[in-house]
Amino acid sequence: MISLRQVPDLWRCWDVTVRDAPIAVALVLASLTPALQNRGTQLGDLPGRPLDALAIAVIALECLPLVVRRRWPIVCLALVSAGFAADQLLGYHAVAGTALPIALLSTGLHLNHHRRTTAVLASAAYVPLAFALDRQGSAEGVTGFVTFYLALAAAWAIGAWLRLNKAAEEERRCHVAEATRQAERTRIARELHDVVTHHVTAMVVQAEAARYLTAAPERLDQTLTAITDTGRRSIADLRHLLDLLNPDHDADPRTPSVGELSALVEQTRKAGQPVEFTEEGAPPAGSARVVAYRVVQEALTNALKYAHGSRTTVHVRHGESEIVVEVGTDGAGSSVSPGGSGRGLAGLRERVSALGGEFSAGRRDDGFVVRARIPAGSPS
């Protein structure tokens, strides 16, 4: 069974010529209806003429070209105009005359090239029609012919206005699509930065420390095991990010998976960073939890880079309406990693601001502190 909601979609699947056919058929049937004979457009007010075999050909010439009004608008306009001229000169005055303003509107809307030339030629073709009707005894007068011409020009103008609106809407959609792609690239770049920078920094620090542990095999083995674990976690996180790029992936790409803060702190401790960790309350689900995790992750990564071996404190409080994160590092420490690009803290500030929170990072008397207040319950 086909529901009513599916009908518009099914209709749009048909070719445009098929979708335009009902208009042409309806005008043909209306023109052949006895009650509507001589009820159509009467330009020139010439005496009416009953329908005959020639009238059927004229009606067909006026109406049937509407089938291609979107595919070949110039062809449609030329044929309909010829049929309209024959209709008025022969005095049939069929309802099929309505096809002319429809053809003009469609040409103004769908014609892509030679628009001005088409408008000039159509206007020029109207002049001999007016003269021919006048010579046959038309009482229309100059005012009547000019008024009818302005009505036809209005049909063209409406089509042109619809065309401009359509073009503006397409341009707006392109801008929205481009902005969406840019935002998605930025989001993926942030996730890659957070994952790769943290894990690789930890591995570099651990590998550097392993140089001096050759005389202590047990500690060397622990350090190498920590490097292996960090590498595996990095690969797992990268695979998750690549899965998000797969359109068949079921997970919501706006909420990437993150681990527990305790595991993150433990990984940093294995890299040789003394970390004091306190966590209050239960972490909520959603974007606030992800952003809080990234704040702690980036702060610990910077601590490993620029203050390796210095005391670091991590305090996270999960409230009903917000998450408060504070990460402080004492002293300057000893840096064993190359300097960063500055993207990490800037990215965190954007993440927190997007959820309506507050973020700050700067030096204090005895070290460096990162603070963030993240509203909970935000969908993205």
Side-chain angles (χ1 to χ4, degrees):
M1 294 296 292
I2 299 177
S3 64
L4 293 178
R5 294 181 179 179
Q6 293 177 316
V7 172
D9 294 332
L10 294 175
W11 177 252
R12 282 191 289 268
C13 292
W14 290 92
D15 188 79
V16 290
T17 55
V18 176
R19 285 182 279 161
D20 289 334
I23 300 177
V25 173
L27 287 177
V28 170
L29 295 178
S31 300
L32 298 178
T33 302
L36 296 178
Q37 290 183 12
N38 289 313
R39 299 289 183 180
T41 304
Q42 298 186 18
L43 179 62
D45 291 331
L46 296 179
R49 178 177 176 179
L51 297 183
D52 50 21
L54 181 58
I56 296 177
V58 171
I59 291 172
L61 183 60
E62 283 186 277
C63 300
L64 296 185
L66 292 179
V67 173
V68 295
R69 65 187 182 89
R70 282 188 274 188
R71 177 163 292 180
W72 301 311
I74 292 182
V75 174
C76 173
L77 179 61
L79 295 177
V80 171
S81 298
F84 179 82
D87 182 11
Q88 301 304 311
L89 290 172
L90 296 175
Y92 292 122
H93 302 148
V95 176
T98 309
L100 181 59
I102 296 176
L104 285 167
L105 188 149
S106 300
T107 305
L109 174 59
H110 300 293
L111 184 61
N112 295 322
H113 306 289
H114 309 297
R115 296 173 56 83
R116 292 184 179 179
T117 302
T118 302
V120 171
L121 292 178
S123 300
Y126 180 75
V127 176
L129 174 61
F131 275 110
L133 291 172
D134 185 70
R135 293 189 62 181
Q136 289 190 11
S138 170
E140 194 77 47
V142 176
T143 302
F145 285 119
V146 171
T147 301
F148 187 76
Y149 173 81
L150 293 177
L152 296 180
W156 173 285
I158 292 174
W161 176 75
L162 293 175
R163 176 184 174 86
L164 292 176
N165 282 358
K166 181 180 178 181
E169 178 63 19
E170 290 179 355
E171 184 177 0
R172 186 191 68 82
R173 290 180 179 178
C174 290
H175 284 312
V176 171
E178 181 61 28
T180 302
R181 287 193 294 267
Q182 185 64 33
E184 187 67 10
R185 286 195 293 266
T186 302
R187 186 192 67 81
I188 294 173
R190 289 174 183 169
E191 294 295 331
L192 287 173
H193 173 273
D194 293 339
V195 171
V196 175
T197 302
H198 177 78
H199 291 310
V200 172
T201 298
M203 293 170 66
V204 169
V205 172
Q206 291 165 343
E208 184 72 17
R211 293 182 178 181
Y212 306 100
L213 298 177
T214 54
E218 293 182 359
R219 294 182 60 189
L220 177 61
D221 182 70
Q222 292 177 355
T223 301
L224 294 178
T225 301
I227 294 175
T228 302
D229 293 340
T230 302
R232 288 173 177 170
R233 279 191 290 269
S234 177
I235 292 174
D237 288 344
L238 288 174
R239 283 176 177 171
H240 175 75
L241 286 175
L242 294 176
D243 286 340
L244 294 180
L245 299 178
N246 184 357
D248 298 329
H249 192 62
D250 295 333
D252 187 352
R254 297 176 301 175
T255 56
S257 62
V258 293
E260 298 295 332
L261 288 174
S262 57
L264 179 63
V265 171
E266 184 61 28
Q267 179 188 3
T268 307
R269 288 171 178 166
K270 289 181 179 179
Q273 190 75 5
V275 181
E276 298 178 7
F277 175 57
T278 56
E279 185 175 17
E280 302 176 12
S287 298
R289 175 173 176 266
V290 175
V291 174
Y293 183 93
R294 295 307 188 199
V295 170
V296 175
Q297 185 180 53
E298 179 65 22
L300 292 179
T301 300
N302 289 337
L304 284 173
K305 281 183 177 181
Y306 308 115
H308 182 237
S310 299
R311 173 177 170 268
T312 302
T313 59
V314 177
H315 178 71
V316 180
R317 179 173 59 84
H318 302 286
E320 295 182 358
S321 59
E322 64 181 14
I323 301 176
V324 179
V325 178
E326 181 172 333
V327 182
T329 305
D330 296 339
S334 58
S335 174
V336 297
S337 298
S341 62
R343 295 179 180 175
L345 294 179
L348 290 180
R349 182 172 286 104
E350 292 178 3
R351 285 175 182 266
V352 175
S353 298
L355 298 183
E358 299 175 358
F359 178 84
S360 64
R363 293 193 174 277
R364 62 184 184 186
D365 294 339
D366 55 348
F368 195 87
V369 63
V370 175
R371 294 188 180 92
R373 183 189 63 80
I374 308 164
S378 298
S380 62

